Structures are given as C-alpha cells and as structure tokens.
Amino acid sequence: CFRCILTGALVMANEAATTSPEASVEDKAHRIFLDFMTKVAQYDELVDAGKKVLLKFHQELEHFRRPKLLIESGAISEIVKSNYSDRMRSYLEAGCTHHDENIQNMNQLHSCQEKLNDHINKAKLLLEELQFLEKDAYSTTLTACLSSLRDTDDCPGDDNLTNNYSEDEQQPGDLLDRAVSCASVMVLVHNMLKWDYMMQEKIVKALCIKTSSSSELEGYCQMWDLRPCIDDNAMQLAWQFVP
C-alpha cells in the first residue's frame, strides 16, 4: 500500500541525511514531502470510506422510498387473494411496509449522515495539516534559494565551485531544484484536494432525507467517485517523487 511505501521512504530519507547545507535543505524538503504524501494517502483512504457511506445512504433511502405493491397486477393480485391472511391485510394497510423495518431504515440513514459529517471534519483536519506542510516546504526552499543567491553574489564567476563535486554527486543547484520541485508539486496537490473537499462538503450539506431526489443522489455518488477536481496526471507526477 502507499502508506507502507511512504513509511519505508521516510526511513530511507532519515538514514540518507547529509550534513552539507544544500543537501540538508533537500533532505528536509524531501522528508516534508514524504510526510505530505503520507497524509495525501490518508485523505484518499478517507474519500473511499466516505464514498461507501454515501452509497449506503443512497441505498437505504431508495429502499425507504420503494413504491407500494401493485396489487392490481395480475400475478400479484392472485397471490394476495390466495394468501389474504391477517398478516397480509396488515401489510397492505400499512402501505406495504413493515414498521420495524422502517425504524431500522431511518436509523441507518441518520447513521450515514453522522458518518459523512464526521468524514468532512476529518478531511478538513487533514487539509489543515497538508497546508502546514506545504508552507513549511515553501519556507524551507525559499530560505535556501535566497541563501544560494547570496553565495553566488559573493563568488561571481567562480567556475571552480562545480569542480568540488564528483560526477556521481549532485551539485547544490540540482539539490535546490529538486526541493523547489517538491514544494511546487505540494502546492498543486493541496489545491486539488482543497477543491475536492469543497465538493464533498457541498454534497454532504445537500443531503436530505425528505428532499433529495433519486437522480440527485445518483449524481452525488457519481461526482464523489469521479472526483473531477483531481488531475490524475498531476497526482502521478507527485507520486514519482516518492522513491
């Protein structure tokens, strides 16, 4: 699973931490990014769980609204007439429903609404944590970039700086570029998830046992599953930064 992969990547990142300023910046930015993607994976798991609850709400509401028995139908009419017991009569008089079943059905609907509200609260907290990590990465890379610019100004035209690094060793500029790339991807992903959350929040607030039509509920389920605010290509790009 993604969370297991990220946990392993975090361990590797901590073990590979170096002491040079540029590498330290890249290491810190990368660890922040891995923390960020771990929470992205948690958010995705939360969305999947929320989708199941929404589908359950849809199912329970459709069951509650199921049409009455058409006793005028030829086959149904014959069955009713041949089995017109007290139990059948009570069932028909109750509108072709069972009282206990209706109570259980309503309890399920209210339970689904509570779970969806809880989902929104948890998703909001995760987004706040993602925003904190995003700002931390931005601050780290900005400070490093400004420091790098000052160092460049202090040593203009010094071509010997690049000779201090072996062919297999990344140069300071490369390390900073990777850190900046990670921070940029974090901004992109966080914005997508924020719009995704806003869509889910609108859906949950719009749910109503009395007024939500079948077509509306079907549309809500489709949008929740589709997640139109999420760019799959951008998400794949983000996961490519995870070793």
Side-chain angles (χ1 to χ4, degrees):
C1 65
F2 281 130
R3 293 176 68 176
C4 295
I5 294 173
L6 286 163
T7 300
L10 276 169
V11 173
M12 292 173 60
N14 289 329
E15 291 176 349
T18 57
T19 56
S20 67
E22 295 83 3
S24 296
V25 169
E26 199 273 341
D27 288 337
K28 181 179 179 182
H30 191 53
R31 286 195 296 271
I32 294 172
F33 180 77
L34 292 178
D35 284 337
F36 180 89
M37 293 305 295
T38 299
K39 294 190 182 299
V40 169
Q42 292 173 354
Y43 180 88
D44 287 341
E45 291 174 359
L46 195 62
V47 172
D48 287 339
K51 180 178 70 174
K52 293 178 182 178
V53 177
L54 182 61
L55 289 172
K56 177 68 173 177
F57 180 89
H58 187 195
Q59 177 185 354
E60 291 292 337
L61 191 55
E62 289 303 302
H63 181 73
F64 183 73
R65 291 173 172 174
R66 68 190 185 280
K68 294 182 179 180
L69 195 64
L70 295 176
I71 57 176
E72 294 82 7
S73 171
I76 297 296
S77 178
E78 291 180 8
I79 294 172
V80 170
K81 289 179 180 178
S82 60
N83 296 276
Y84 198 72
S85 60
D86 290 341
R87 181 169 177 267
M88 176 64 77
R89 180 172 54 80
S90 298
Y91 180 72
L92 294 174
E93 290 176 353
C96 303
T97 61
H98 293 295
H99 180 67
D100 292 341
E101 189 177 84
N102 286 343
I103 293 176
Q104 183 180 5
N105 194 229
M106 290 299 297
N107 289 337
Q108 287 287 346
L109 286 168
H110 288 302
S111 175
C112 287
Q113 285 186 307
E114 290 177 356
K115 289 179 180 178
L116 287 170
N117 286 326
D118 183 57
H119 159 82
I120 291 300
N121 292 332
K122 290 179 179 178
K124 184 178 180 180
L125 288 175
L126 271 176
L127 282 176
E128 290 174 353
E129 293 174 2
L130 288 172
Q131 185 177 26
F132 174 80
L133 291 170
E134 175 196 322
K135 290 181 177 179
D136 193 14
Y138 174 81
S139 175
T140 299
T141 53
L142 178 61
T143 301
C145 287
L146 292 175
S147 177
S148 178
L149 288 174
R150 285 194 296 269
D151 292 341
T152 302
D153 291 339
D154 292 340
C155 304
D158 192 349
D159 296 332
N160 293 326
L161 288 175
T162 58
N163 295 330
N164 295 328
Y165 298 88
S166 65
E167 293 182 359
D168 296 332
E169 188 177 1
Q170 287 184 302
Q171 297 183 14
D174 296 330
L175 295 172
L176 286 178
D177 285 345
R178 181 173 175 82
V180 171
S181 296
C182 285
S184 300
V185 169
M186 288 170 68
V187 173
L188 177 62
V189 171
H190 177 246
N191 284 336
M192 288 193 301
L193 295 186
K194 184 165 60 176
W195 283 105
D196 188 55
Y197 163 79
M198 291 171 63
M199 179 198 72
Q200 294 170 23
E201 185 182 35
K202 288 180 180 178
I203 289 174
V204 172
K205 287 183 177 180
L207 291 179
C208 181
I209 296 174
K210 294 182 178 180
T211 61
S212 296
S213 66
S214 298
S215 58
E216 281 180 318
L217 286 171
E218 185 66 31
Y220 294 155
C221 292
Q222 289 178 354
M223 287 297 101
W224 195 294
D225 184 53
L226 180 63
R227 302 182 71 184
C229 304
I230 304 299
D231 186 335
D232 290 337
N233 292 328
M235 293 304 299
Q236 289 176 7
L237 174 64
W239 285 111
Q240 287 176 5
F241 281 89
V242 178

